[in-house]
Amino acid sequence: MTTKLDGKALARKLQEELKVKVTQLKQDGIQPCLAVILVGNDSASQVYVRNKKKVAQKLGIKTIDKQLPQTVNESELVDLVTELNQDENIHGILVQLPLPESIDEDLVMRAIDPAKDVDGFHPFNIGKLFMNKGQIVPCTPKGIMRLLAEYQINLDGKKVVIVGRSKIVGMPLIALMLNANATVTVAHSHTKNLKEITRDADIVITAIGQAEFFDMQYFNSDAIIIDVGTNRNEAGKLVGDVKRDAVMGHVAYLSPVPGGVGPMTITMLMEQTIQFAEERESKCNEKNI
Ligand code: GUN
């Protein structure tokens, strides 16, 4: 039997708690506010941003929407980020990735005030994460850790295989898993004998962006599988990196797509925004502003 790691249900529960926090902040005169920058017209990014704004609205978080054309240049984008950094009413800044190829993504990430970096992509926050001193953590990896904790899955000494090494998922997860005392292996497009590596793992996190790539042959029957893929199959249906129906029933736990990591990512984004607003409130209280 496979236990479903139900990110959708956990996200719903956490969002109820966050709604209460927002109400409290508003009573104290603080309106949590997230600025979202979307460059160009990538359809997947448009959907992600729309979903983030929808959840923010549901929780009472204000969003500031900045849409820029594909042709925007680096300095215009950095100027916008700088302007948002200086606005005291904005607690979090999110630049939806990927950016057009003509723009240096790292330069833009570095322009964000690390204290408003809700995505945790600024090198300062990434560095702190790898030093096990990180409080600002990228949302998808943070959501994965929270989901595992909810099901009381102990990571200490576990063999964790992360498939994919992106800045958004794989890289930060390396730090989080190491900080939790897991034994971490990172596999990627140059890895040989992937099947042997994943089959030996206690926990496999798949984040390669290839629709239904992993079947049962990649996992042992005690494995815990976290599917991070968000892909469309030929019929246009949202599917993960794992062949869900083939694997369900043959592993110990599965976080499926849809209904697993996706809702947790958005919830962690909201949590981080609210946390920044709370920190601003306590700083103002200290200074008696
Ligand atoms: N693109 C895909 N996932 C993410 C994310 O978590 N944050 C941002 N900013 N862009 C993304």
Side-chain angles (χ1 to χ4, degrees), residues 37 39 66 68-84 102-103 107-108 111:
I37 302 177
V39 180
K66 298 285 183 186
L68 299 173
Q70 184 83 10
T71 51
V72 73
N73 67 41
E74 232 161 59
S75 65
E76 285 170 303
L77 185 50
V78 168
D79 285 349
L80 173 61
V81 171
T82 308
E83 192 188 300
L84 299 171
S102 57
I103 293 177
L107 184 98
V108 178

Side-chain angles (χ1 to χ4, degrees), residues 10 15 36 86 92 175 178 197 202 209 234 236 245 250-251 257 269:
L10 177 57
Q15 286 179 19
V36 180
Q86 286 160 357
L178 279 176
I197 294 168
D202 299 310
E234 280 159 15
D245 295 342
H250 297 280
V251 292
V257 174
L269 175 68

Side-chain angles (χ1 to χ4, degrees), residues 45 48 52 94-98 109 119 121 138-140 168 265:
S45 289
Y48 288 140
K52 288 171 187 178
L94 178 149
V95 180
Q96 186 65 28
L97 302 179
M109 294 302 110
D119 264 322
F121 294 158
C139 302
T140 301
I168 296 175
T265 296

Side-chain angles (χ1 to χ4, degrees), residues 8-263:
K8 193 173 167 187
L10 177 57
R12 207 180 298 130
K13 182 178 98 174
L14 294 174
Q15 286 179 19
E16 284 309 314
E17 293 167 14
L18 292 176
K19 229 190 251 178
V20 175
K21 283 192 174 191
V22 173
T23 307
Q24 184 65 51
L25 278 165
K26 283 184 177 170
Q27 279 167 4
D28 295 343
I30 307 253
Q31 167 62 70
C33 178
L34 172 68
V36 180
I37 302 177
L38 175 62
V39 180
N41 29 29
D42 177 74
S43 57
S45 289
Q46 283 172 342
V47 173
Y48 288 140
V49 165
R50 201 182 314 134
N51 289 340
K52 288 171 187 178
K53 287 195 295 197
K54 216 192 291 174
V55 176
Q57 198 176 21
K58 198 171 85 185
L59 302 190
I61 297 171
K62 182 178 170 188
T63 54
I64 300 219
D65 210 2
K66 298 285 183 186
Q67 302 227 13
L68 299 173
Q70 184 83 10
T71 51
V72 73
N73 67 41
E74 232 161 59
S75 65
E76 285 170 303
L77 185 50
V78 168
D79 285 349
L80 173 61
V81 171
T82 308
E83 192 188 300
L84 299 171
N85 283 340
Q86 286 160 357
D87 186 334
E88 293 218 330
N89 296 316
I90 293 173
H91 303 104
I93 300 170
L94 178 149
V95 180
Q96 186 65 28
L97 302 179
L99 289 170
E101 280 192 3
S102 57
I103 293 177
D104 179 352
E105 222 162 76
D106 289 341
L107 184 98
V108 178
M109 294 302 110
R110 283 201 302 275
I112 299 173
D113 177 349
K116 292 191 178 188
D117 175 29
V118 267
D119 264 322
F121 294 158
H122 190 290
F124 177 78
N125 289 322
I126 295 172
K128 282 183 79 172
L129 184 61
F130 274 86
M131 289 162 71
N132 200 4
K133 299 221 173 343
Q135 275 140 8
I136 301 175
V137 178
C139 302
T140 301
K142 190 176 183 181
I144 292 170
M145 300 307 277
R146 189 67 70 79
L147 189 57
L148 289 167
E150 178 72 11
Y151 285 83
Q152 286 160 15
I153 292 167
N154 181 20
L155 297 167
D156 199 308
K158 293 283 165 60
K159 284 190 254 181
V160 174
V161 173
I162 301 166
V163 193
R165 52 177 162 173
S166 74
K167 170 165 85 182
I168 296 175
V169 183
M171 287 284 203
L173 255 183
I174 297 171
L176 288 166
M177 287 294 180
L178 279 176
N179 295 346
N181 296 320
T183 300
V184 183
T185 302
V186 186
H188 46 75
S189 52
H190 292 239
T191 298
K192 299 197 171 65
N193 304 326
L194 178 62
K195 213 175 271 183
E196 282 164 34
I197 294 168
T198 52
R199 257 205 326 231
D200 190 38
D202 299 310
I203 300 174
V204 183
I205 294 141
T206 63
I208 61 169
Q210 285 194 46
E212 301 182 309
F213 176 89
F214 294 92
D215 60 21
M216 197 39 225
Q217 289 179 26
Y218 282 84
F219 311 121
N220 70 64
S221 57
D222 295 321
I224 297 166
I225 314 300
I226 310 282
D227 189 356
V228 190
T230 40
N231 318 290
R232 297 274 160 193
N233 68 7
E234 280 159 15
K237 193 174 145 219
L238 177 64
V239 294
D241 291 344
V242 174
K243 280 199 175 98
R244 174 186 174 146
D245 295 342
V247 167
M248 207 48 148
H250 297 280
V251 292
Y253 292 87
L254 173 66
S255 168
V257 174
V261 172

